[in-house]
Amino acid sequence: MKTNRMPTPGLSLGCDYNPEQWSPDVWREDAALMREAGVDLVAVNIFGWSNLEPAPGQYHFDDLDEVVELMHANGIRVNLGTGTSSPPPWLTTLHPEVLPAAADGTLRYPGGRQAWCPSSAVFRDRAYALVRQVAERYGDHPAVALWHVSNELGCHNALCYCEESAEAFRSWLRRRYGKIETLNEAWGTSFWSQRYGDWAEVNPPRLALSLRNPAQIVDFHRFSSDELLDYYRGEAEILRGHSTVPVTTNFMVTAHIRNLDYWSWAPEMDLIANDHYLDHRLGDPVAELSFAADLTRGLAQGRPWMLMEQAAGAVNWQPHNVTKAPGELIRNTLTHVARGADSICFFQWRASAQGAEKFHSALLPHAGTDTVAWREVLKLSATLDRIEEVAGTTVESDVALLFSWESWWSAEGEARPSQAVEYLDQVHAAHRALRELGVTVDVVSPEADLSGYRLVVVPCLYMVGDLAAVRIADYVQGGGHLLVTFFSGIVDERDRIRLGGYPGAFRDVLGVTAEEFVPLKPGDLLNMTNGGTGSLWSERLRTTTASPVVSYVDGPLPGTAALTRNEFGGGVAWYLATSPDPRSMREIMRNVTVNADISRTGPESNGSVEAVRRSGENGSYLFVINHGTEAVEYPVTGFDLVTGEPVESLLRVEGGGVSVVREERA
Amino acid sequence: MKTNRMPTPGLSLGCDYNPEQWSPDVWREDAALMREAGVDLVAVNIFGWSNLEPAPGQYHFDDLDEVVELMHANGIRVNLGTGTSSPPPWLTTLHPEVLPAAADGTLRYPGGRQAWCPSSAVFRDRAYALVRQVAERYGDHPAVALWHVSNELGCHNALCYCEESAEAFRSWLRRRYGKIETLNEAWGTSFWSQRYGDWAEVNPPRLALSLRNPAQIVDFHRFSSDELLDYYRGEAEILRGHSTVPVTTNFMVTAHIRNLDYWSWAPEMDLIANDHYLDHRLGDPVAELSFAADLTRGLAQGRPWMLMEQAAGAVNWQPHNVTKAPGELIRNTLTHVARGADSICFFQWRASAQGAEKFHSALLPHAGTDTVAWREVLKLSATLDRIEEVAGTTVESDVALLFSWESWWSAEGEARPSQAVEYLDQVHAAHRALRELGVTVDVVSPEADLSGYRLVVVPCLYMVGDLAAVRIADYVQGGGHLLVTFFSGIVDERDRIRLGGYPGAFRDVLGVTAEEFVPLKPGDLLNMTNGGTGSLWSERLRTTTASPVVSYVDGPLPGTAALTRNEFGGGVAWYLATSPDPRSMREIMRNVTVNADISRTGPESNGSVEAVRRSGENGSYLFVINHGTEAVEYPVTGFDLVTGEPVESLLRVEGGGVSVVREERA
Amino acid sequence: MKTNRMPTPGLSLGCDYNPEQWSPDVWREDAALMREAGVDLVAVNIFGWSNLEPAPGQYHFDDLDEVVELMHANGIRVNLGTGTSSPPPWLTTLHPEVLPAAADGTLRYPGGRQAWCPSSAVFRDRAYALVRQVAERYGDHPAVALWHVSNELGCHNALCYCEESAEAFRSWLRRRYGKIETLNEAWGTSFWSQRYGDWAEVNPPRLALSLRNPAQIVDFHRFSSDELLDYYRGEAEILRGHSTVPVTTNFMVTAHIRNLDYWSWAPEMDLIANDHYLDHRLGDPVAELSFAADLTRGLAQGRPWMLMEQAAGAVNWQPHNVTKAPGELIRNTLTHVARGADSICFFQWRASAQGAEKFHSALLPHAGTDTVAWREVLKLSATLDRIEEVAGTTVESDVALLFSWESWWSAEGEARPSQAVEYLDQVHAAHRALRELGVTVDVVSPEADLSGYRLVVVPCLYMVGDLAAVRIADYVQGGGHLLVTFFSGIVDERDRIRLGGYPGAFRDVLGVTAEEFVPLKPGDLLNMTNGGTGSLWSERLRTTTASPVVSYVDGPLPGTAALTRNEFGGGVAWYLATSPDPRSMREIMRNVTVNADISRTGPESNGSVEAVRRSGENGSYLFVINHGTEAVEYPVTGFDLVTGEPVESLLRVEGGGVSVVREERA
């Protein structure tokens, strides 16, 4: 991150605003209602291209000028989109080569959004031309508080298999490997007669009749992430030439999108912004929200960040679009704030009447302001006002969890020991157990500096480089505590097996060696000596220097260790070789955290309560969010900013309630 | 409909006949067996093209001549196909541009049937040339009783995405909207930067990376329906130039085909003909048969219609092709007759030995005439003879159910509140409840004249135009009763949300406003104050002038109304905001029909019994069909045409039996 | 089969070896470990092309020379691959027309393996040029014991729909049918207007909008199988020009691959080799292994064969890759040997570190030699040494089961009575019942000479030619016993229904006629008079000369026969018209085998025990393999080669154990 400047002081409340969809008299009504709702930051021009440039080179800024002035006149700051997210129809009509290609070579057509190839030179020329116009016109406008490059980059079009992408992939590979023989070694092309004699023979991993080269697939993911980052860089450079306002784009740290490696993106953002929507296809959507917020804070290196989009109610793209119950919006939002968000924005201001998102909720619903939904927005706004003093404070933790997009890509290869093992499930399981114990977690890169942590958790880190492996071992050597879960440390960055027994990168620090993976069929359970069950996975595991802690009592490997503990240098390293039931997972994590002397921020629960502390120069704030129906009590003394009441030694939070306590220093 | 002339007097019994598949000596055996079975109408030349025109412009009519003469000599009338349904191989070899394209741009190839683009100029030229030949040759042949244009138009090829289709779509849009800016408004192209500057930029809704424009999709459905109708018109015009015999084509009013808006087609037919096959993938195939028959009668504006195809036994295209039990063929057939069919035809006469339909049943099975199946056909034929005097009579009803292909297309958009809500399910649920109560229903267009009805049922009419909305309100104002079920009246013809609270088109007449949809996950149930349960859907509903009748007692909205009743002008309007269990649905429908003073035609059942009355100048006929295993009794006096016995005040119909009682006037 | 020469005397133990993936110092370690493990045959150069010919026409044999010499120096024979299995990247870059096309016309790209069209002239030219080089260089090398043409031909690329394939298909059809009118008759092109006027109009059965012509699909399968056989022939001819060593390729007789008709391939092989992997997606993977081994023996005409590939532990391509428990490898391997294998080879020697198969097990695992897996390999090797004297002996059986790839292709057409009826399920059910009874079965072609058998089982032989039908009837006439199961004898080789009642080919011999198929929905069960249940299928069946044996007591056809018995000539013919539960199936098979006086080789079980006898000039060997956990006993006297102990009248085999008893002649 370059600067981390928030667009407004305090906790901003914002939203996407698409005035193109409404008439100017509605704009004025909107401005008045925004003031009523306390909205102080609006994102405009996100999908502006076809309006700003209705024909090639003909720019029309009158409407956008008027909207920006209207916001300014109402004291609302502008998060100004560059408008390049989706090309206008004339562009793909004139230049069909802009269209992205699927893995089978068929094109993907206009009619939705992001119908462009990330490597398209024509697209870049035209998009940058628009950005130049926008930047010149609004670069020093006093209303503009933030630049919003494109929108949700890579949400749909990250992986393009067209010939222009192929050529760009070749250039990227040439830069990465230098010599074709180095690529051959990295990709293991001796296998299945794939040895390349020339760069021109290399292609994206297009649809094949059989299993494709997994190293090629991982590199194509890396390339695709870099290619869009390169595109971002082009826009950002233009903007910075005309403006001193921070530049960013909205990430999608969420369960179902995984194509960009945000660890490489984050350093180029002036601040970190994320879009997050509850995903009701998951077993525990709220736990995923907490994880995503912690990961976003990790991308922001612990500093405050923006929630650039969330939904006031239901979304429209899930199979069954569950709406929010009264109170849920405040709980969800304060979960983000507790975990570091200093800006809370929504998609979108006014529910669309037309288009593919007309059933997506908004701050102002189709039914207008005489609605429960609108009153919930006003309540949220008032709550944010009351807790505004938390802005700028940060979250501290003794525990780091290592997260890796590269492992996500590579651990879910086409042919692997078990397709039931999914990376994010394993990461979520570890995070959820810590959250249930009331422990706050930093989610960091595998190559992060670990020296400040008492415990490092490494779930399913399938791909790990030498540097990270050494750093993790050194961390334990120096007294740190480590928990590694199965299918970690299996391959290096080339997706090459670390030979000699699994987990190759961590055998020494863990004091174990696994001869063989013994995955289970879905539904099969292993009973364990701790009274719990394991599923999905086991290993023919031998301890070398470690001690078994929990073992299987049945199944294919009775007596074999499921959990081991190894003293290594000044530290302790645990290895978990199965996927325990959630209760066992929590017990295992309890042992590990107690052993590492980790302090808890809040009460233990089944995940229904979460407590996070934000601290700053002027004191600390304990957020307690009760997602459950029963009241909870927790010892704390201070002043509850939400209720405006003092808290004498014991805080009580009703079912569904939230508290933000400015703690008294003892 | 232009004329509604049935092809023969009385109740004809007919079938498709494909003599091309057999040798001439088999033809003569067939003619004799047809006479034995009472077949008096055969459809020939349905797939005749490659035989009639084996090479471009070389026509060979000898075989068809002989078959037509053979039928004529045996007193069997001919339903003469134009033979254009599937092009011969030489056409797609010479002109591959005739082949249709899928949404991803890939072609669909010959090898099955209907491998042609509906907009293909080459296809039309060649097909019309063949029609001209056929019309000239047989236009005044005395055997010909009906023209059968193509076959099951649009069954497979309705939606073509090729460039010729794109150009035709553009022309259609130009005619519909006049100016590109009108199209932009209609499609809401301000959303996602889709604003068009020129017609040439517009395309069919080809496969995109993300959600497509829903208004574009609906218009593409309209265009596609119109395009095939235009094709039909071309054939019909040629035929009418050479013949005075009625012209039609076989509709597919059924649960799994939905691409043609038959409300726009029906007026151009000389009579309405439908193909119907029991669909054992459905929960209640027989209830769907009844609904389809009622809808077909609606297309015929209440006048008699033809069943152009049904199966004597099993079909071949379902996953498990259930055959018919003895008696089932008569029950199914009389269900069609009861609901207005005056002609009963089959696909096909003789079971094919080769080709993709060789496992489809026929009147004459592979095993020949010493079979249960053949004897069932003879029984059916005798039964039709006995009830022949019902021909020409019509069905009367106090209840109209509004049905809309446009709502079917649009309500099932790519992104909607719940993908578990399917249009036809909701329509069927309403129809089934009325049928179980013994109430006869007319299924009519949303723009039909409602003045003759005491009750109008509007299930899930998602898309409704202003005219229909006003007409429905006026109908209630004038004293009518109305029941609207959820997800009705949501959008106008442009798929644009009717703002201000749902259901926008019906808020006033129903006296309610819904702030928000609250769809349920599959399997979730809401208990209601009437002892029943709701599923799939609920709404944050406020009554304005209506009274709540049934409310939820648990779930996300306890105390909120699930069913409301509103007095509006001289009438009454009910709103049902959830999907009740079938028993509750029947109870709710009982209240509504009793309230509207609707008379019943037959006994109440779980759907196993159906009773429908056909009436004419010479009296009335009560059809009672017992699909169940237990006998039923029903008070009626008259003469049972099926048994040839008088009925004294109480009709008894055994399990599996049928009766058609010529009623005595009291 | 031309010669059936095994590559080595005795029971060879072999493996694929891919030295390209490792450095020369690893090669030397490998050779030493191979000796330790008793490996005496290695397959090399299977995927050698891109290494041998890194650029067009530039050949580099140094590495292969060194490896062949290393093997030779260590007394290990070489199974030499021609290296053509997958083309190098330069070939598809220079000649993209080599790429295969899917049914929708899209290409399939390099990146995996087998990305070549079987009809590609360019591919053949280049591949044969390489084969010539390899054959010339190694044709008389003393280490070479076997030629291994390509690899798993047709595993992925058997069906190609490109234009070059279309042209080859046309030529094949011209050769098969001579006149276009003969093709029209064979394919039934009168149906759906598909009559061809010229060969140029004919195409592969590419993706269509509707059901395709089933005869065209079956012929395309035949063509595709022949086309690869033709390709094989080209390689074999070159090899035979330079070498006297036997030539073969590895078949894939397994549950999930079905594109080659190995009955037509087998006669052209110098010995029969098969690849077999346990498929844990099946209900009973071990029963499938036994069946596949019997079928492979059938392809070898009863003579010994090679197991060219199996896995030491888990594979990598199933959803959940279950590994082998200790002992399982020996049990599986001895099941192959018992059923005729004289050579046991593995994929592969050393587990790959890179590429799509890096998670596939190998003889030498990633974790090295200090592993349970390696010790299991050594145990297996020792066991094979102890039983080596069985080499060259053969298996004898009184029972033949007819198996047909043509029926597999055609019985699973796009539109059929029930998609739940799958060919292989029905074949497996019959084989499993015989295996449970301890009966050994030969699996033979429908056109095999049946005269030596006492019982012939014909499961689901949907397609049967006149010759085979006559031969089967003659066999019964002459005193043989026959069991036919449902959906047999339905069509001739043209996929044309045999008219007059089902099963048309077998009505007379069975003494029944079925008027109609009455398939059941999944989950529906019919109770039968034998106390068992039928599922999936029933028929409206009449006996003519047969007697009913078992009938239904409920369902749609109470009282109708499910099993019939007919005396025909000097023999007996049974017909089974449903799919019985496994216990009933075993009871029915017990009756049939007792009636036919079939002797058992081993004890009856639920499939957990299998016993097979191999015999030769010098005596007989009884293999007893106990897959269960309980010990079994069986009366036999002799010497157990596995334990090295005499067996006195009663053999006891512990749970999980194996015995091979050299039997004493009584």
Side-chain angles (χ1 to χ4, degrees), chain A residues 207 419 495 502 515-516 521, chain C residues 109 280 319 323 358 366 372:
Chain A
L207 190 58
Q419 290 178 14
D495 200 45
Y502 318 115
E515 298 179 18
E516 200 173 6
K521 289 193 164 185
Chain C
Y109 296 92
H280 288 278
T323 188
K358 65 181 177 295
H366 291 144
V372 169

Side-chain angles (χ1 to χ4, degrees), chain C residues 142-161:
Chain C
V144 175
L146 183 64
W147 289 103
H148 183 298
V149 168
S150 191
N151 185 58
E152 294 186 339
L153 280 162
C155 183
H156 310 287
N157 67 342
L159 306 177
C160 175
Y161 298 83

Side-chain angles (χ1 to χ4, degrees), chain C residues 11-24:
Chain C
L11 299 178
S12 55
L13 176 63
C15 54
D16 276 32
Y17 182 43
N18 293 297
E20 309 89 350
Q21 299 175 24
W22 307 99
S23 58

Side-chain angles (χ1 to χ4, degrees), chain C residues 149-428:
Chain C
V149 168
S150 191
N151 185 58
E152 294 186 339
L153 280 162
C155 183
H156 310 287
N157 67 342
L159 306 177
C160 175
Y161 298 83
C162 78
E163 189 48 37
E164 192 163 2
S165 292
E167 191 53 41
F169 185 38
R170 284 174 207 126
S171 298
W172 183 92
L173 291 166
R174 262 192 303 262
R175 290 193 300 274
R176 183 176 180 91
Y177 294 111
K179 290 198 269 186
I180 192 74
E181 197 43 43
T182 312
L183 176 140
N184 279 315
E185 281 163 25
W187 287 10
T189 56
S190 290
F191 180 80
W192 283 358
S193 186
Q194 298 177 354
R195 186 167 290 275
Y196 297 99
D198 189 275
W199 297 103
E201 296 164 15
V202 186
N203 280 302
R206 296 194 180 114
L207 190 59
L209 288 168
S210 63
L211 299 170
R212 294 170 295 172
N213 186 317
Q216 181 182 9
I217 290 174
V218 172
D219 267 348
F220 189 62
H221 272 287
R222 289 182 177 119
F223 154 75
S224 298
S225 174
D226 285 356
E227 193 72 355
L228 279 170
L229 178 55
D230 186 68
Y231 171 80
Y232 171 86
R233 226 177 259 132
E235 284 209 19
E237 192 177 320
I238 295 165
L239 295 170
R240 292 196 183 103
H242 294 84
S243 172
T244 59
V245 160
V247 180
T248 193
T249 190
N250 43 348
F251 288 0
M252 286 163 298
V253 174
T254 179
H256 65 286
I257 293 181
R258 54 167 222 178
N259 282 326
L260 304 186
D261 180 355
Y262 290 127
W263 294 126
S264 65
W265 282 61
E268 311 213 16
M269 303 294 118
D270 289 339
L271 61 84
I272 297 299
N274 192 44
D275 290 357
H276 190 273
Y277 294 95
L278 277 186
D279 191 339
H280 288 278
R281 297 169 297 195
L282 302 173
D284 190 343
V286 171
E288 191 279 330
L289 184 159
S290 300
F291 171 76
D294 283 344
L295 174 49
T296 306
R297 187 179 70 254
L299 292 164
Q301 293 181 289
R303 289 178 287 181
W305 49 276
M306 286 186 76
L307 181 67
M308 188 74 99
E309 292 185 18
Q310 71 168 336
V315 300
N316 65 321
W317 42 266
Q318 293 175 16
H320 314 288
N321 293 294
V322 176
T323 188
K324 287 188 169 63
E328 191 175 353
L329 178 59
I330 291 183
R331 289 193 301 279
N332 289 171
T333 301
L334 262 59
T335 300
H336 287 293
V337 176
R339 294 174 190 275
D342 269 9
S343 176
I344 297 297
C345 306
F346 287 82
F347 176 83
Q348 63 178 334
W349 166 251
R350 184 182 274 275
S352 294
Q354 292 177 281
E357 293 189 327
K358 65 181 177 295
F359 288 119
H360 196 292
S361 64
L363 293 177
L364 182 56
H366 291 144
T369 55
D370 182 13
T371 53
V372 169
W374 176 254
R375 290 185 287 271
E376 287 287 299
V377 169
L378 299 187
K379 271 188 229 170
L380 172 66
S381 180
T383 303
L384 291 175
D385 284 350
R386 283 196 288 272
I387 68 169
E388 188 142 33
E389 65 185 83
V390 307
T393 59
T394 57
V395 176
E396 282 172 16
S397 169
D398 292 336
V399 183
L401 185 153
L402 305 195
F403 182 83
S404 158
W405 275 274
E406 294 200 339
S407 276
W408 196 351
W409 300 331
S410 55
E412 299 184 4
E414 292 181 332
R416 58 192 204 257
S418 171
Q419 290 177 13
V421 173
E422 301 198 11
Y423 175 69
L424 204 59
D425 290 348
Q426 301 307 315
V427 171
H428 282 169

Side-chain angles (χ1 to χ4, degrees), chain B residues 325-386:
Chain B
E328 192 176 351
L329 178 59
I330 291 183
R331 291 193 298 279
N332 289 171
T333 302
L334 262 60
T335 301
H336 286 294
V337 177
R339 295 175 189 274
D342 269 11
S343 176
I344 297 298
C345 306
F346 287 82
F347 177 83
Q348 61 177 333
W349 166 250
R350 184 183 274 273
S352 294
Q354 292 176 280
E357 293 189 327
K358 66 180 176 295
F359 289 118
H360 196 292
S361 64
L363 292 177
L364 183 55
H366 291 144
T369 55
D370 182 13
T371 53
V372 169
W374 176 254
R375 291 186 285 272
E376 287 287 301
V377 168
L378 299 186
K379 271 189 228 168
L380 172 66
S381 180
T383 303
L384 290 175
D385 284 351
R386 285 197 287 273

Side-chain angles (χ1 to χ4, degrees), chain B residues 20 47 50-51 86 89-90 108-109 111-113 156 280 316 319-321 323 353-354 357-358 366 370-372, chain C residues 185-186 188 190 193-195 207 210-213 415-419 495 497 500 502 515-516 519 521-522 542:
Chain B
E20 308 90 349
F47 289 96
S50 78
N51 282 297
S86 281
W90 60 257
R108 290 298 172 268
Y109 296 92
R113 61 178 202 175
H156 309 288
H280 288 278
N316 63 323
H320 314 288
N321 294 293
T323 188
Q354 292 176 280
E357 293 189 327
K358 66 180 176 295
H366 291 144
D370 182 13
T371 53
V372 169
Chain C
E185 281 163 25
S190 290
S193 186
Q194 298 177 354
R195 186 167 290 275
L207 190 59
S210 63
L211 299 170
R212 294 170 295 172
N213 186 317
R416 58 192 204 257
S418 171
Q419 290 177 13
D495 200 45
I497 298 281
Y502 317 114
E515 297 178 19
E516 199 172 8
K521 290 193 165 185
R542 291 199 315 266

Side-chain angles (χ1 to χ4, degrees), chain A residues 279-301:
Chain A
D279 190 338
H280 287 278
R281 298 170 296 194
L282 301 173
D284 189 344
V286 171
E288 191 277 333
L289 184 158
S290 300
F291 171 76
D294 284 344
L295 174 49
T296 306
R297 186 178 72 251
L299 291 165
Q301 293 182 290

